[in-house]
Amino acid sequence: MRYAQPTRGRFAFRRESLPTAIDYFTAQGVKLQGAGAWRSALCPFHQDSKPSLRIKLETGSFRCMVCGAHGGDVLSFHMQNYGLSFIEAARALGAWEVAR
Ligand SMILES: [Zn+2]
């Protein structure tokens, strides 16, 4: 097992069910620019006029060079962008499932 999976009751966080960074940010309308492991995008966490947000495709981790917004994966991005709790964001991204 690659990741620890915290469980609560009959439910469980399924990290492997999170969308890939490319799929997620594309679906969110975040236009990824550049090439390579790190891409640039307009930062949604401040009024951005040029792409200040850096996104690592492999993990979905992100960091804004201007406002300092950062996180380790698309789940963290979703929580911060929509003001959601961990569970709400995991559920919204299809990564919170009934344990079997
Ligand atoms: Zn920013």
Side-chain angles (χ1 to χ4, degrees):
M1 194 176 293
R2 231 181 118 197
Y3 300 102
Q5 298 190 347
T7 56
R8 221 171 273 176
R10 296 161 44 243
F11 300 95
F13 172 54
R14 308 266 181 221
R15 178 168 291 278
E16 68 274 17
S17 296
L18 286 175
T20 66
I22 285 249
D23 287 350
Y24 173 76
F25 287 108
T26 300
Q28 289 292 310
V30 176
K31 194 160 175 259
L32 302 179
Q33 302 180 29
W38 287 84
R39 303 295 169 90
S40 300
L42 287 174
C43 176
F45 300 107
H46 77 277
Q47 286 280 23
D48 205 2
S49 56
K50 56 185 178 188
S52 304
L53 190 70
R54 303 284 286 150
I55 296 168
K56 189 177 188 184
L57 288 189
E58 187 187 344
T59 60
S61 63
F62 59 95
R63 178 173 292 276
C64 177
M65 299 309 173
V66 173
C67 72
H70 66 279
D73 53 24
V74 298
L75 184 74
S76 177
F77 184 93
H78 206 69
M79 288 169 64
Q80 293 179 50
N81 202 21
Y82 294 98
L84 301 176
S85 70
F86 178 90
I87 292 174
E88 288 168 338
R91 191 178 285 140
L93 296 178
W96 188 258
E97 298 172 359
V98 176
R100 291 183 184 85

